[in-house]
Amino acid sequence: MEARLIFRELMTSYSDEILLLGSTVYASGGTTIPALIEEHDKAQQYYIKLGTEYEAMGWSIFQALHTAAFRVLESGGTVLRKKLVSFEDVSEFYKENLASIEEQRGTNAT
């Protein structure tokens, strides 16, 4: 299935707005965002059994949402709107994640 279609399908698994209250931003630049982790865990229950492309896209969406959430928190915001993340934001993560999963499973023809 085409990556853009998988992206659209999996984005419906996330709420339009995710409250970032209770998040922690670390001096090292990392963040812990409990509400986003909870959203991802729910989405993962759906996509994990659909195959490699879905698994790679699901993780890629989480990475892009996490990056967007970090920016929101840095600017003093408390709400992540999923519309802040586009397919273009996810596509590079997707390529890397897909290659990594395929390599781990020995399905990458190199």
Side-chain angles (χ1 to χ4, degrees), residues 60 63 87-98:
S60 301
Q63 289 174 292
F87 176 74
E88 288 69 28
D89 297 322
V90 172
S91 63
E92 199 57 42
F93 287 127
Y94 176 69
K95 290 174 196 169
E96 293 170 11
N97 290 330
L98 185 59

Side-chain angles (χ1 to χ4, degrees), residues 6-104:
I6 296 171
F7 168 77
R8 283 191 212 126
E9 181 181 342
L10 294 186
M11 282 297 279
T12 64
S13 300
Y14 287 88
S15 301
D16 290 337
E17 293 184 344
I18 300 169
L19 289 176
L20 303 176
L21 302 173
S23 298
T24 305
V25 178
Y26 301 100
S28 64
T31 51
T32 301
I33 307 167
L36 182 56
I37 293 168
E38 184 178 316
E39 292 265 339
H40 176 256
D41 288 348
K42 285 188 236 172
Q44 188 178 37
Q45 294 301 310
Y46 168 73
Y47 75 71
I48 198 70
K49 54 191 162 215
L50 296 176
T52 302
E53 291 175 318
Y54 280 85
E55 185 178 349
M57 183 60 74
W59 183 245
S60 301
I61 289 170
F62 174 76
Q63 289 174 292
L65 286 168
H66 192 276
T67 300
F70 179 76
R71 283 191 226 118
V72 169
L73 290 166
E74 270 192 321
S75 69
T78 58
V79 177
L80 169 63
R81 290 171 178 79
K82 78 174 177 184
K83 68 180 182 182
L84 292 174
V85 173
S86 68
F87 176 74
E88 288 69 28
D89 297 322
V90 172
S91 63
E92 199 57 42
F93 287 127
Y94 176 69
K95 290 174 196 169
E96 293 170 11
N97 290 330
L98 185 59
S100 176
I101 290 169
E102 288 176 342
E103 184 178 310
Q104 288 174 2

